Amino acid sequence: MRILLGILSTALVVGNLLVNAVPLFLMGLVRVTVRLLGLKAAESRMARAMDIVIDSWVVINRFVYSSLGLVRPEVRWLDADDLSKDRWYMVISNHQSWTDILVLQSVLFERLPPLKFFTTRQLLFIPVFGQAMWLLDFPYVRRMSRAQIEANPALLEVDRQATREACEKFKNHPTSALNFLEGTRFTAEKFTAQAQPRFRRLLNPKTGGLTQVLSALDDRLHKVVDVTIDYPEGVPTFWEFMQGKCGRVTMTIASHDVPARVRTAADDEARRSAVNDWVEALWQAKDDALTGIPSGKESTSGNESTSGNENNAETSIDRSLESAAKHPAR
């Protein structure tokens, strides 16, 4: 029965993608045409209209998830009363599974403008899906190892330029830029491969892209929306999600003002330092929440801890690593 449910739900989601791709590709053709004709106002209106396709895809997917009982996230909102679909946002989140994106789109749909997430160039070659993201101005970045960057530092500028160009397009109309700061899914292998892991259930965050977006959208950005996703019964694969085997999904969603130290930084180096410090604090709080350490308590990575919290943290870490080990690294 679960297999049949998975086949049905996958067919509906893929069919939804294909149906929405038709008007998207037609509008994309019109957009390219008016761009070639130098009609900037018309291109701007068309770009905004194309985002309606994202909303259409998400609404139908939400109906599929709900009707088939695939997932019912338990969501806790913090300081989110003034969120609006008519403003710009930066969304940051931890990352454990491909299902994160589907769940985030579904939960944030009613409160934020369409999500456009940073993705790798490899996804561009997925039929229909990759081309749709390209037409919708999703920012593409290259996945480069430290060795590649050290061998050719100019590679970093390629991604920086792509981010700057994406942000210029984001300015056209309200958008939510989503960035998984860990840069990849959490797995046991990636966790242990870190030279100096600073957290227990998170990978060390990478703040370069976030720093660029905060700088480029400084005059537009309303809030930074910080999402913490957890799968208490185990991290599902995409196929498990489609079969309704996702289990519980808990989400804590908080909105933050960009710190004054970041906004008023004198130069790029000062801004990077300010963002690093801010994200480190956010990530520590997120890690404490995932490991069950109450707010205001010292984490087990600090100088003090309590035996009860240590046991909770160790149990949570083991559960996270065991679940992550079931799925190969992306």
Side-chain angles (χ1 to χ4, degrees):
M1 182 62 71
R2 289 289 185 180
I3 292 178
L4 292 178
L5 177 61
I7 293 172
L8 174 62
S9 59
T10 301
L12 290 173
V13 170
V14 172
N16 181 27
L17 171 64
L18 296 176
V19 168
N20 278 287
V22 174
L24 175 64
F25 283 21
L26 290 174
M27 286 189 287
L29 181 60
V30 173
R31 183 181 176 187
V32 170
T33 301
V34 297
R35 177 187 300 169
L36 293 174
L37 294 174
L39 304 175
K40 292 185 178 180
E43 182 186 358
S44 175
R45 289 193 296 271
M46 186 55 63
R48 185 167 190 143
M50 289 169 69
D51 273 8
I52 296 175
V53 175
I54 301 178
D55 284 343
S56 173
W57 189 66
V58 172
V59 165
I60 296 173
N61 280 349
R62 283 179 48 155
F63 178 76
V64 171
Y65 308 153
S66 175
S67 299
L68 299 182
L70 300 187
V71 63
R72 289 183 174 83
E74 302 167 23
V75 184
R76 180 186 179 210
W77 294 90
L78 302 175
D79 300 321
D81 292 339
D82 64 342
L83 298 182
S84 166
K85 294 178 76 72
D86 297 321
R87 308 183 84 163
W88 282 257
Y89 298 91
M90 182 75 210
V91 181
I92 59 176
S93 175
N94 61 312
H95 192 19
Q96 301 184 63
S97 168
W98 273 96
T99 63
D100 295 345
I101 295 173
L102 301 179
V103 174
L104 281 166
Q105 286 180 320
S106 181
V107 170
L108 297 177
F109 168 74
E110 293 181 347
R111 302 217 186 189
L112 299 183
L115 288 177
K116 296 187 178 181
F117 51 88
F118 284 73
T119 186
T120 60
R121 288 183 177 272
Q122 289 87 338
L123 293 183
L124 181 64
F125 301 102
I126 297 178
V128 183
F129 183 72
Q131 294 78 55
M133 289 196 296
W134 178 75
L135 286 171
L136 290 165
D137 298 323
F138 280 55
Y140 283 89
V141 295
R142 300 175 185 272
R143 179 168 292 159
M144 297 172 288
S145 67
R146 183 179 297 275
Q148 288 175 305
I149 294 172
E150 290 176 350
N152 184 8
L155 290 174
L156 282 176
E157 185 56 33
V158 176
D159 278 351
R160 288 170 181 160
Q161 182 60 30
T163 301
R164 286 192 291 267
E165 291 175 357
C167 288
E168 283 303 310
K169 294 174 181 177
F170 290 166
K171 290 181 179 181
N172 181 68
H173 55 276
T175 301
S176 299
L178 168 62
N179 194 345
F180 293 112
L181 297 187
E182 293 160 299
T184 184
R185 290 175 302 149
F186 180 100
T187 67
E189 293 81 5
K190 293 170 187 174
F191 180 82
T192 56
Q194 297 177 111
Q196 294 181 319
R198 303 193 298 276
F199 307 96
R200 293 144 300 191
R201 288 193 59 194
L202 299 168
L203 301 178
N204 296 341
K206 302 174 182 178
T207 60
L210 174 62
T211 302
Q212 284 188 274
V213 174
L214 293 179
S215 176
L217 295 180
D218 181 61
D219 61 333
R220 299 282 207 287
L221 205 63
H222 178 48
K223 297 277 188 178
V224 171
V225 177
D226 179 21
V227 183
T228 302
I229 303 177
D230 191 22
Y231 301 89
E233 298 170 8
V235 180
T237 63
F238 179 79
W239 178 235
E240 287 170 340
F241 177 84
M242 287 300 172
Q243 293 180 85
K245 295 181 179 180
C246 186
R248 292 179 60 217
V249 182
T250 65
M251 301 175 69
T252 300
I253 305 173
S255 65
H256 306 286
D257 292 320
V258 178
R261 183 184 167 204
V262 174
R263 288 193 180 274
T264 61
D267 52 39
D268 290 343
E269 185 59 36
R271 182 175 291 106
R272 279 193 294 269
S273 176
V275 171
N276 284 341
D277 291 345
W278 182 43
V279 169
E280 194 75 8
L282 292 177
W283 234 240
Q284 187 62 66
K286 189 186 297 288
D287 196 51
D288 289 347
L290 289 170
T291 51
I293 298 176
S295 176
K297 296 288 187 181
E298 286 289 336
S299 70
T300 55
S301 61
N303 297 325
E304 300 177 3
S305 64
T306 65
S307 59
N309 283 337
E310 285 177 353
N311 292 334
N312 289 340
E314 289 171 2
T315 300
S316 188
I317 295 166
D318 291 342
R319 184 186 68 211
S320 180
L321 292 177
E322 288 171 3
S323 176
K326 295 179 183 177
H327 312 305
R330 182 167 63 184

